[in-house]
């Protein structure tokens, strides 16, 4: 059976008769607006992510996942994208073809998919992603589930990939900087029933159609799932966009449109991943988060020291440092943990780099401090400069003594003058700021009103956008004497938007303000009964009322995720020098979000501290003990903050016991010594240790291993009060 032009999809019989290669559609122009002014000069998919263009991660993953044909749709900067692919290895790969589809008329994802439908290039199920996707997941199981559902019900047109991601209760955002997402899912079939990323947070409510609850015996309502923007679609999805010209956005129009359409009966399902990685770069905060995940190897094998197309492997050293070849580094310069330095870069005397990515061919002077920043290629940073949590694009020159405050973005070839301080969250470009800003569409172009062409070079600023201000050569420089660049002003409400989506950590004073506001709103919602329940399963009782299923397995999952989130927060504090008060604020927000007790906080913090010690290089038990003692001493205040009662103290003894017996067995021979150390440091009281030992008296022998190891210390604790009393009696006599 041959597919006719305009057919919605190939039938299941035809798929069985002929091999249809697994295809993918990659949208190259998604959410570029959020990366302005950078994306006025270069397409977002070609921006470096840990020194590798974003599109390389997407294509490398698709190839590894078994995709055979990829159609790259591009519009803005299309000549740059096509030119890059033509000069890459992707057009010459066996069993993996990459074809570009160029358009100058499309202004949305809907338009892009309608054009692809007209080209008649998709012949079956296909993967739909954007060119800013980073993943290492296998598609095998998700594809199998999708095809099995299609055989039973041809109305099952899409499978969305999701994963666990708890939003902060303070900012209502995930770690990627995305808004809190509410989803209702059938817990048995995994059908998506509700999708809302613009919930009314101020009222703390969302609205569900009561018929959804009537028609489905059980509904799981989640605010702790992340949309990975990886979709497995039937070819029929393309025809649905063609039939509905009002479908522009993939989520806002298409997904929500199908969920409320009860006439055609089309269905969307979800596939949840757990151990795999999947995320997309759609704002500067997610750029920072995903970059750190790559450096910390969560995306393996797509990591800096493993070769894949577009990546020149760098050498992995201790503490997560990566160095490329031909680096010139002064003996007095210091490169801190989780930092990558690109090929041909020079680093001067007494300069300090930490938690940063440095591109190729950069020149860094003496006494320069770079923390949590992304320096792209061929950048010059002169002596005595300070950069914190900034992005510096290709060809930028930062003159001596200049300072970049957190959240600064310097676009291509900007020059910052001597001693000039660029204010926090500033965006600086050689192109003047457009007067009329475009809205942020899923595809975005230089001039969406007239059909897009490649955005101008920095030598042709008048064509950037309609109504743009005209630069005047007599204008004083905005970035210091001998500087070059315009500081773009923030729109109304822009400052709040900047700190939410910036690569800079949210300031401690802002977190405190949000914490106070959250507690006040929580108190009010409890009083009027309008607060949302935590994620969980809603079940229709026989009388039609809705009850929430308290599943112990869900709680166990929450406990595990909570522990991972606390550990990630703690590691950020370690590597980025975050103050302990700031860590406490973040842990408290996680505690609210996961509905955990102070006992869980104490156990999670202790686990994080001891895991840090265990991962510090050591050649003997004595070195490991020194590492543990150092970590416990440094983070003494943080540990003590969560030890408000004997229960919390017993919890960390049990947590340490669990670590020694399962996943940190190197601590096993040191259990008694470290227990004694915790007592000496006033972290554990005598009562807690004796209570723990007492509880073990009736336990199995296998559960008494560490009690027996600590027997001498426990006996000493029991006898110590008696010795004190004997001394008092001797003094009385």
């Amino acid at each position: 059976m041959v597919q006719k032009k305009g057919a919605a999809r190939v039938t299941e019989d035809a798929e069985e008769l002929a091999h249809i290669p697994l295809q993918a559609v990659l949208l190259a122009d998604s959410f570029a607006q959020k990366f302005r002014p950078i994306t006025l000069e270069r397409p977002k998919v070609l921006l470096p992510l840990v020194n590798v263009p974003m599109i390389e991660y997407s294509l490398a993953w698709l190839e590894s996942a078994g995709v055979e044909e990829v159609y790259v749709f591009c519009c803005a900067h299309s000549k740059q994208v096509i030119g890059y692919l033509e000069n890459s290895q992707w057009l010459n790969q066996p069993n993996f073809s990459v074809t570009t589809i160029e358009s100058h008329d499309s202004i949305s994802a809907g338009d892009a998919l309608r054009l692809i439908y007209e080209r008649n290039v998709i012949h079956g199920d296909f993967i739909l992603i954007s060119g800013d996707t980073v993943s290492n997941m296998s598609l095998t199981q998700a594809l199998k589930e999708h095809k099995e559902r299609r055989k039973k019900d041809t109305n099952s047109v899409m499978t969305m990939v999701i994963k666990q991601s708890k939003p902060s209760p303070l900012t209502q955002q995930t770690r990627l900087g995305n808004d809190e997402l509410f989803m209702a899912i059938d817990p048995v079939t995994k059908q998506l029933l509700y999708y809302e990323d613009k919930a009314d947070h101020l009222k703390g409510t969302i609205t569900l159609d009561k018929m959804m609850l009537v028609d489905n015996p059980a509904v799981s309502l989640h605010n702790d799932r992340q949309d990975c923007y990886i979709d497995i679609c039937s070819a029929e999805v393309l025809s649905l966009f063609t039939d509905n010209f009002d479908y522009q956005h993939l989520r806002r129009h298409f997904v929500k449109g199908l969920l409320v359409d009860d006439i055609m009966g089309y269905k969307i399902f979800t596939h949840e991943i757990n151990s795999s990685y999947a995320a997309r770069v759609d704002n500067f905060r997610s750029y920072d988060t995903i970059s750190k995940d790559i450096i910390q190897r969560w995306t393996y094998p797509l990591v800096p020291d493993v070769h894949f197309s577009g990546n020149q492997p760098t050498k992995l050293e201790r503490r997560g440092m990566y160095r490329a070849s031909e680096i010139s580094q002064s003996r007095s310069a210091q490169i801190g943990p989780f930092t990558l330095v690109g090929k041909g870069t020079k680093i001067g005397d007494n300069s300090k780099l930490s938690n940063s990515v440095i591109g190729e061919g950069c020149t860094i002077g003496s006494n320069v401090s770079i923390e949590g920043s992304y320096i792209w290629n061929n950048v010059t940073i002169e002596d005595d400069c300070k950069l914190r949590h900034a992005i510096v694009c290709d060809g930028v020159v930062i003159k001596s003594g200049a300072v970049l405050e957190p959240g600064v973005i310097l676009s291509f070839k900007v020059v910052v003058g001597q001693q000039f301080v660029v204010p926090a969250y500033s965006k600086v470009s050689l192109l003047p700021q457009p007067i009329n800003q475009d809205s942020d569409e899923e595809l975005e172009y230089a001039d969406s009103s007239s059909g897009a062409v490649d955005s101008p070079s920095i030598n042709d600023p008048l064509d950037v956008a309609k109504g743009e201000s005209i630069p005047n050569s007599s204008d004083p420089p905005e970035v210091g004497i001998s500087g070059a660049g315009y500081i773009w002003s923030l729109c109304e409400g822009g400052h709040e938007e900047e700190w939410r989506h910036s690569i800079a950590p949210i300031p401690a004073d802002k977190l405190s303000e949000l914490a106070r506001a959250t507690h006040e709103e929580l108190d009010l919602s409890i009083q009027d009964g309008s607060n949302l329940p935590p994620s969980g399963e809603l079940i229709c009782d026989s009388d039609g009322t809705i009850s929430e299923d308290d599943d112990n397995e869900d709680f166990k999952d929450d406990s595990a995720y909570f522990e991972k989130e606390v550990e990630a927060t703690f590691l950020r504090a370690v590597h980025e020098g975050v103050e302990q008060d700031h860590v406490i604020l973040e842990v408290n927000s996680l505690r609210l979000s996961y509905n955990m007790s102070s006992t869980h906080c104490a156990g999670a913090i202790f686990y994080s501290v001891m895991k840090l010690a265990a991962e510090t290089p050591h050649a003997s038990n004595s070195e490991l003990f020194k590492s543990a003692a150092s970590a416990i001493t440094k983070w003494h205040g943080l540990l003590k903050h969560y030890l408000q009662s004997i229960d919390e103290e017993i919890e960390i003894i049990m947590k340490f016991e669990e670590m020694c017996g399962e996943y940190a067995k190197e601590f096993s021979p040191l259990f008694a010594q470290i227990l004694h150390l915790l007592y000496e440091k006033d972290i554990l009281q005598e009562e807690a240790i004796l209570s723990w030992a007492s509880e073990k008296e009736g336990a199995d022998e296998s559960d008494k291993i560490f009690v027996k190891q600590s027997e001498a210390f426990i006996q000493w604790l029991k006898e110590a009060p008696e010795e004190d009393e004997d001394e008092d009696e001797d003094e009385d006599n």
Side-chain angles (χ1 to χ4, degrees):
M1 186 179 294
V2 180
Q3 183 188 26
K4 297 180 181 179
K5 182 175 177 61
R9 60 182 174 82
V10 175
T11 65
E12 302 295 338
D13 291 339
E15 288 190 11
E16 292 176 3
L17 291 173
H19 169 70
I20 297 178
L22 181 58
Q23 298 175 299
V25 172
L26 186 152
L27 303 178
D29 299 278
S30 58
F31 289 103
Q33 172 84 9
K34 294 180 181 179
F35 281 79
R36 282 193 169 190
I38 300 173
T39 48
L40 286 180
E41 300 176 51
R42 185 182 297 180
K44 181 185 170 190
V45 294
L46 298 187
L47 301 183
L49 187 68
V50 192
N51 289 357
V52 177
M54 292 185 196
I55 196 171
E56 293 287 352
Y57 291 97
S58 302
L59 291 174
W61 169 64
L62 289 173
E63 182 187 34
S64 68
V67 173
E68 298 170 75
E69 295 178 2
V70 180
Y71 292 91
V72 178
F73 183 91
C74 49
C75 186
H77 306 289
S78 58
K79 291 183 177 60
Q80 290 188 45
V81 176
I82 293 171
Y84 176 84
L85 291 173
E86 287 177 345
N87 292 315
S88 72
Q89 301 176 17
W90 290 114
L91 300 189
N92 302 307
Q93 295 292 319
N95 305 317
F96 185 75
S97 70
V98 176
T99 306
T100 56
I101 296 178
E102 184 180 9
S103 170
H104 296 304
D105 301 317
S106 301
I107 61 171
S108 70
D111 288 345
L113 295 178
R114 281 185 278 273
L115 179 59
I116 290 171
Y117 177 80
E118 291 175 7
R119 296 288 179 91
N120 194 34
V121 293
I122 300 298
H123 307 300
D125 293 336
F126 66 98
I127 313 301
L128 178 60
I129 65 168
S130 56
D132 50 17
T133 300
V134 179
S135 179
N136 60 10
M137 70 170 286
S138 168
L139 287 172
T140 304
Q141 185 60 32
L143 279 168
K144 180 181 177 183
E145 293 172 1
H146 177 80
K147 290 181 179 296
E148 287 177 351
R149 280 193 290 261
R150 289 278 296 163
K151 288 180 180 178
K152 296 176 183 177
D153 184 354
T154 56
N155 280 342
S156 304
V157 295
M158 178 187 280
T159 300
M160 292 171 48
V161 176
I162 62 173
K163 69 178 298 184
Q164 179 110 2
S165 181
K166 199 77 171 180
S168 165
L170 302 184
T171 62
Q172 278 83 46
Q173 285 185 308
T174 67
R175 61 191 293 266
L176 295 174
N178 300 319
D179 289 332
E180 183 176 24
L181 173 64
F182 289 92
M183 305 175 83
I185 300 171
D186 186 313
V188 177
T189 66
K190 307 303 178 185
Q191 182 180 348
L192 181 68
L193 305 171
Y194 178 87
Y195 184 102
E196 181 57 69
D197 58 355
K198 300 290 183 184
D200 192 341
H201 297 301
L202 294 178
K203 293 181 180 178
T205 60
I206 59 173
T207 303
L208 299 177
D209 186 344
K210 63 181 180 181
M211 291 306 298
M212 179 186 77
L213 301 175
V214 171
D215 294 340
N216 296 275
V219 176
S220 290
L221 180 62
H222 299 279
N223 72 332
D224 58 355
R225 296 296 187 271
Q226 167 193 321
D227 186 348
C228 299
Y229 291 92
I230 296 173
D231 301 326
I232 302 173
C233 306
S234 70
E236 198 160 7
V237 166
L238 298 177
S239 67
L240 287 171
F241 274 94
T242 302
D243 295 339
N244 297 272
F245 275 87
D246 55 338
Y247 285 173
Q248 301 296 331
H249 292 257
L250 291 173
R251 296 297 186 259
R252 194 184 312 166
H253 297 149
F254 177 72
V255 169
K256 292 184 179 180
L258 292 195
L259 292 179
V260 298
D261 183 0
D262 55 359
I263 297 176
M264 300 302 294
Y266 292 114
K267 299 171 185 176
I268 299 173
F269 291 82
T270 61
H271 174 80
E272 184 171 350
I273 58 175
N274 296 303
S275 57
S276 302
Y277 189 91
R280 60 172 301 191
V281 184
D282 68 351
N283 57 61
F284 286 120
R285 187 170 297 283
S286 59
Y287 178 92
D288 176 60
T289 301
I290 295 171
S291 296
K292 285 182 168 61
D293 290 343
I294 292 170
I295 289 175
Q296 295 177 21
R297 311 180 70 75
W298 293 104
T299 59
Y300 187 86
L302 302 180
V303 292
D305 60 315
V306 175
H307 177 74
F308 59 93
S309 180
N311 179 43
Q312 298 299 322
T314 55
K315 183 180 178 183
L316 173 61
E317 302 180 358
R318 63 187 185 89
R319 299 195 302 163
M321 292 185 291
Y322 297 85
R323 297 175 196 259
S325 60
E326 301 175 26
I327 293 173
S328 174
Q329 177 187 343
S330 167
R331 287 181 176 274
S332 58
Q334 300 177 28
I335 299 180
F338 300 113
T339 296
L340 184 148
V341 181
K343 181 179 179 181
T345 287
K346 301 176 182 178
I347 306 172
D349 297 337
N350 299 308
S351 288
K352 297 181 179 179
L353 288 62
S354 64
N355 297 288
S356 298
V357 175
I358 313 297
E360 297 183 357
C362 295
T363 301
I364 299 171
S366 300
N367 301 308
V368 172
S369 174
I370 301 176
E371 178 188 345
S373 298
Y374 300 90
I375 314 301
W376 294 0
N377 297 331
N378 304 311
V379 171
T380 299
I381 303 174
E382 296 182 357
D383 298 347
D384 303 310
C385 292
K386 294 183 178 180
L387 292 73
R388 293 179 56 219
H389 305 291
I391 292 179
V392 180
C393 296
D394 294 356
V396 167
V397 176
I398 304 175
K399 299 202 170 181
S400 59
V403 176
L404 305 189
E405 293 190 340
V408 166
I409 309 295
L410 301 183
S411 194
F412 301 96
K413 298 184 180 180
V414 162
V415 179
V416 178
Q418 291 183 7
Q419 306 294 325
F420 187 79
V421 178
V422 184
Y425 307 118
S426 296
K427 294 179 179 178
V428 186
S429 174
L430 290 185
L431 298 174
Q433 184 173 8
I435 293 174
N436 298 318
Q437 297 266 10
D438 296 333
S439 62
D440 190 17
E441 300 294 329
E442 289 193 22
L443 299 178
E444 181 266 357
Y445 311 100
D447 183 4
S448 60
S449 63
S450 60
V453 295
D454 280 316
S455 291
S457 69
I458 58 175
N459 297 318
D460 188 14
L462 297 182
D463 295 329
V464 175
K466 283 187 174 182
E468 191 171 299
S469 59
I470 301 175
N472 188 331
S473 59
S474 63
D475 289 345
E478 294 188 21
V479 283
I481 298 172
S482 72
Y486 295 89
I487 297 180
W488 286 25
S489 61
L490 299 177
C491 59
E492 184 178 352
H495 188 74
E496 177 166 334
E497 199 67 17
E498 288 303 320
W499 66 254
R500 281 182 175 275
H501 295 141
S502 169
I503 72 163
I506 299 175
D509 58 343
K510 177 57 69 174
L511 281 176
S512 298
E513 178 186 327
L514 291 170
R516 287 193 297 270
T518 300
H519 283 300
E520 290 172 2
E521 290 175 10
L522 186 60
D523 291 341
L524 288 173
S525 66
I526 289 173
Q527 291 173 15
D528 62 21
S530 64
N531 57 307
L532 283 172
S535 290
E537 188 171 323
L538 301 177
I539 298 177
C540 276
D541 293 335
S542 57
D543 60 357
T545 59
I546 306 300
S547 62
E548 190 169 353
D549 183 26
D550 296 323
D551 192 342
N552 288 331
E553 289 302 316
D554 289 344
F555 180 76
K556 289 178 183 177
D557 289 343
D558 277 354
S559 296
Y561 281 114
F562 171 74
E563 197 166 86
K564 288 180 182 178
E565 292 279 8
V566 171
E567 183 188 0
T569 299
F570 175 74
L571 287 177
R572 285 196 296 272
V574 171
H575 300 309
E576 298 175 15
V578 179
E579 294 181 2
Q580 292 194 19
D581 289 346
H582 197 159
V583 179
I584 290 169
L585 276 172
E586 290 199 34
V587 172
N588 286 345
S589 70
L590 288 171
R591 176 186 172 184
L592 283 172
S593 180
Y594 283 89
N595 194 27
M596 294 293 163
S597 66
S598 59
T599 305
H600 291 103
C601 293
I605 290 290
F606 179 76
Y607 168 83
S608 302
V609 172
M610 297 306 291
K611 188 177 178 185
L612 175 68
E615 292 178 351
T616 302
H618 55 275
S620 63
N621 284 343
S622 60
E623 288 184 10
L624 177 58
F625 180 78
K626 288 178 182 178
S627 296
S630 175
I632 289 168
T633 301
K634 181 176 180 179
W635 298 99
H636 176 274
L638 182 62
L639 284 165
K640 285 292 289 182
H641 181 82
Y642 290 101
L643 299 178
Q644 303 297 321
S645 70
I646 298 299
D647 289 340
E648 283 85 10
E649 294 182 22
I650 294 174
E651 173 66 22
I652 69 170
I653 300 175
M654 294 173 66
K655 176 61 70 174
F656 189 38
E657 194 178 16
E658 180 184 335
M659 291 181 72
C660 291
E662 295 182 18
Y663 35 79
K665 294 184 178 180
E666 57 266 48
F667 279 125
S668 297
L670 300 174
F671 184 91
Q673 286 178 261
I674 292 176
L675 189 67
H676 199 162
L677 174 68
L678 293 169
Y679 173 76
E680 288 180 344
K681 295 290 184 182
D682 198 31
I683 291 173
L684 296 179
Q685 298 179 53
E686 174 186 324
E687 183 182 351
I689 298 171
L690 294 179
S691 296
W692 164 73
S694 176
E695 289 177 5
K696 293 287 184 178
E697 288 179 1
D700 295 335
E701 289 301 313
S702 59
D703 291 334
K704 294 181 179 181
I705 295 172
F706 298 109
V707 175
K708 288 183 176 180
Q709 188 187 128
S710 311
E711 206 163 24
F713 175 50
I714 293 169
Q715 190 62 32
W716 177 81
L717 287 177
K718 290 178 178 178
E719 294 173 356
E722 296 175 6
E723 292 174 3
D724 293 341
E725 289 173 8
D726 291 341
E727 289 174 5
D728 292 340
E729 289 176 6
D730 291 341
E731 288 175 5
D732 292 340
N733 294 332

